[in-house]
Amino acid sequence: MMTYKNYRALMEALVAEGKSTGPEQTEERIDFTFLNNKRMQRLDKKGVVSEEYVAKIKSYKKPVEWIVLAESWCGDAAQVLPYINKVADLNENIDLKIALRDENLELMDQHLTNGGRAIPKLIMVDKETKEVLKTFGPRPSEATKMVQEYKHKYGMLTPEFKKDLQLWYTKDKGKNAVADLVDLLS
């Protein structure tokens, strides 16, 4: 497991080497790693946690570890991880660690989403008891609803829908993700 800072350094190094995380080094995953690195650079700089949530986040008192399973090529992870990091940075009781899904399949398989290894997946663990308290992911609640409705109507996600989803993330500016993360702390 690694810190967010180390995960970002890993992504930068992978981009420089023309690689992605995971054993499957496809052109598509390498291209997505490059694109996601750019997205994360932008969100790390410009993403904001609204003031309405800052006090709630800072008031959380239980020491927890947030383990987030992710991969460099995952578009949802690129859109959500910067906000997970921003929330964790606001409270010393939240210890954020990033784990690569494909290197931690045993952990991933304990936290499937509808039977799948969907990422990012945040696992909130009580630091004292090691009990899993809650999970979040792979997407904010509004994006999850969009995906479910589209799959119900068309059977699968198309490349066009995935572009629309990325546009939704851009317009939402992390608001739904932060709201869902604050709900984890209640």
Side-chain angles (χ1 to χ4, degrees), residues 72-124:
S72 67
W73 44 262
C74 176
D76 293 303
Q79 296 284 8
V80 173
L81 261 175
Y83 292 102
I84 292 172
N85 181 59
K86 288 175 186 299
V87 169
D89 275 351
L90 288 169
N91 190 313
E92 64 186 21
N93 290 311
I94 302 171
D95 183 17
L96 174 61
K97 298 285 186 241
I98 314 295
L100 298 177
R101 178 194 72 180
D102 293 344
E103 292 177 8
N104 295 278
L105 292 178
E106 186 176 323
L107 178 61
M108 180 75 254
D109 288 346
Q110 293 170 24
H111 302 282
L112 300 176
T113 302
N114 301 320
R117 293 176 172 165
I119 53 175
K121 187 68 166 195
L122 185 155
I123 305 155
M124 183 168 147

Side-chain angles (χ1 to χ4, degrees), residues 4 39-48 82 86:
Y4 182 77
R39 286 178 175 143
M40 292 180 82
Q41 285 172 340
R42 179 177 46 82
L43 294 174
D44 286 340
K45 280 185 190 169
K46 297 186 178 196
V48 176
K86 288 175 186 299

